[in-house]
Structure formats: structure tokens, C-alpha cells
Amino acid sequence: MAGGAEEKPFNFLQILCEGVIAGGTAGVVVETALYPIDTIKTRLQAARGGSQIQWKGLYSGLAGNIAGVLPASAVFVGIYEPTKRKLLETFPENLSAVAHFTAGAIGGIAASLIRVPTEVVKQRMQTGQFRSAPDAVRLIVGKEGFKGLYAGYGSFLLRDLPFDAIQFCIYEQLRIGYKLMAKRELNDPENALIGAFAGAITGAITTPLDVMKTRLMVQGSANQYSGIVSCAQTILREEGPGAFLKGIEPRVLWIGIGGSIFFGVLEKTKSLLAERRSREPPTVKDD
């Protein structure tokens, strides 16, 4: 009995650490592979009216972004995995979707503290405002204060909390359904395909929120928009409803392919860590 009480914290830390490793690995692989598509999407969304987008420097800001994506992805999955397990133990089986949705939202809140400054710096560099990440951070803080690094935080949460919650919920529920039909564990290509589907659907649904988040983050000290409502009203008045779907094609492509790579790498890394753990001899505490 005492052993069982001591085992839980160890398991929690183990799940958290493995989530951190798997999430960080998956996040870096996705970001490196798909950064140019993300740059094109950002420039399309930031362009007002009929202005042309710049096709050079599609990897602008990658190094600085990876420095933020690695800890953000690690924190997200590190929080998501143990939270998901705990909620699945607490909720009845027929409410597993609620557990996945809630765990995704909680992971998203934790990761947002790292993601938002990373995203602000990345998008300002993608739109040609700064040459390097250190310059961007220094000048943003100098001109706009520390809060400048959290420009568009509300719109980011408005987009990313439902995005994370919906994407992980769809992914986990599809995996449950597929495993029940197949009566076996899924292989790497199947995990990747389900991840692509979950990412593409979620990416399309949340594009209007992404457009507003981009506009708020790249406006700098110009203050064209005072907030989410002001941003939505101005875009609708000046550019029409179609502007809310700007960049939907590269976004769906980027997140669909990204979901495939992310979840494929995530599940592969988790399975490799589980195999490694199973091969380790049990630790003996007493001499």
C-alpha cells in the first residue's frame, strides 16, 4: 500500500518528462520542415488590400523561433500528457472527448506564456520588420515595453486554446475509434494520417481567428486596432468578410502536413521512450 502511494508521483514525473522530450522533438521537426509555408501564410494575412507579398527570406526568423518552439512544445505536451491521463481516470469512459479537450486547453494555457513572445518576434521578422531575433526583442521592448512581446495575447488565446483543444480532441478520438475497429495498436503511418486530418480540419475552422491574431501581432506601435473587436470590425469594414479567410490554403496545408509530422514524431518518440523504459532493470532502494 505504501509502495502504491509512492509510485504515483514517480509515474506523474515520468509521464511529464517523456511528454517534454516527445513534444520538444516533434515541435522542432515540424517548425524546421514547414517554416517557409508559415512565412507565406503570415505575409498573406498581414498584407492589406491588394498589396504584394515578398517571396524572399522565407526562413527569416527560424533560429529565434525554434528557440521558443522547443520549450513551448515541450511544456505543452509535458502538461497535456499527465493531465489527460488524470482526467481519463476521473471522467467516465463516454466523456473521454471532454478529457482530451480540457487537457488540450490546459496545455495551451501553460505553453502560451512562451508561445506568444516567440510568435510576436517570428511574425515581425517574417514581415521584414527586423533582421534578427535579439534585435527584435530589444527594439520591441524598447519601443513598446515588455507588453509588446505579448501583443495580441488575447487573440492568440482566442485562436490557440480552441485550436489545441479541438485538434488534440479530434486526434485522440479518431485514434480511439480506429483502434477499436482495427483491434490493434496503430502504426506510424496511421498516426501520421490521423494527425494530418485533425490538423487540416482544425486549421480551416480557426483561420479567421488566426488572421486577427496576425494583424494584432504585426501592427507594432501603429495601433491600427485597439483589440480583437476593433480588429474584426476594421477588417470587415475595409476589406470585407473574405479577408477573414486570408492565407487559409497555406494554413490548412501547413497545419495538415504539420499535424502529420508532429503526431507521427510524437507517437514514435513516446513509443521509443516506453521501449527504453521497459528494458530498464527495476531500481532497488534497499541495500
Side-chain angles (χ1 to χ4, degrees):
M1 269 71 83
E6 288 171 8
E7 195 179 321
K8 278 197 172 181
F10 174 77
N11 282 344
F12 176 84
L13 287 174
Q14 191 172 59
I15 295 163
L16 184 140
C17 289
E18 289 182 0
V20 164
I21 294 166
T25 303
V28 169
V29 171
V30 170
E31 201 63 29
T32 305
L34 301 179
Y35 197 78
I37 300 174
D38 183 36
T39 301
I40 292 166
K41 183 270 303 179
T42 296
R43 290 176 181 176
L44 281 169
Q45 290 180 343
R48 303 188 73 202
S51 54
Q52 296 293 311
I53 70 161
Q54 173 62 254
W55 291 93
K56 291 180 181 177
L58 296 182
Y59 272 98
S60 177
L62 175 63
N65 196 48
I66 283 179
V69 165
L70 175 58
S73 299
V75 166
F76 178 86
V77 181
I79 296 293
Y80 173 78
E81 284 292 332
T83 304
K84 174 187 78 174
R85 304 253 187 126
K86 198 70 188 163
L87 289 173
L88 286 172
E89 286 175 15
T90 307
F91 289 6
E93 199 174 331
N94 62 341
L95 291 179
S96 64
V98 178
H100 294 135
F101 187 92
T102 306
I106 291 169
I109 290 169
S112 71
L113 299 173
I114 303 168
R115 278 179 176 171
V116 174
T118 302
E119 190 85 353
V120 169
V121 169
K122 177 193 78 171
Q123 294 196 331
R124 302 269 184 105
M125 290 184 69
Q126 286 175 331
T127 52
Q129 294 183 37
F130 304 106
R131 283 175 136 351
S132 71
D135 278 351
V137 172
R138 193 180 74 253
L139 291 167
I140 289 169
V141 172
K143 272 189 168 184
E144 304 165 47
F146 186 73
K147 68 175 184 180
L149 292 173
Y150 284 88
Y153 186 71
S155 64
F156 183 91
L157 288 183
L158 185 66
R159 181 205 69 171
D160 271 48
L161 285 193
F163 180 91
D164 290 331
I166 293 166
Q167 184 184 31
F168 273 76
C169 182
I170 290 173
Y171 173 72
E172 298 278 17
Q173 291 300 302
L174 285 174
R175 286 188 80 238
I176 289 169
Y178 197 106
K179 279 203 275 193
L180 284 172
M181 285 194 306
K183 294 184 173 63
R184 59 172 172 79
E185 288 300 314
L186 306 189
N187 57 38
D188 294 337
E190 287 166 338
N191 284 324
L193 188 62
I194 291 170
F197 184 78
I201 295 293
T202 313
I205 292 169
T206 56
T207 295
L209 298 173
D210 189 50
V211 170
M212 289 189 286
K213 182 223 62 163
T214 298
R215 294 290 182 88
L216 286 163
M217 282 186 167
V218 303
Q219 70 176 335
S221 54
N223 290 325
Q224 294 163 280
Y225 317 109
S226 59
I228 297 166
V229 175
S230 160
C231 182
Q233 289 173 337
T234 306
I235 292 171
L236 188 62
R237 184 176 64 250
E238 294 182 358
E239 301 169 64
F244 287 105
L245 295 179
K246 275 190 171 186
I248 190 169
E249 296 90 349
R251 177 170 167 78
V252 168
L253 177 67
W254 166 55
I255 296 177
I257 298 171
S260 170
I261 298 170
F262 182 87
F263 286 110
V265 172
L266 181 72
E267 297 299 341
K268 186 66 178 174
T269 308
K270 279 162 62 179
S271 69
L272 289 172
L273 289 168
E275 278 175 33
R276 183 171 172 273
R277 192 189 339 126
S278 67
R279 288 198 299 268
E280 287 176 357
T283 54
V284 180
K285 286 189 178 180
D286 300 321
D287 292 324

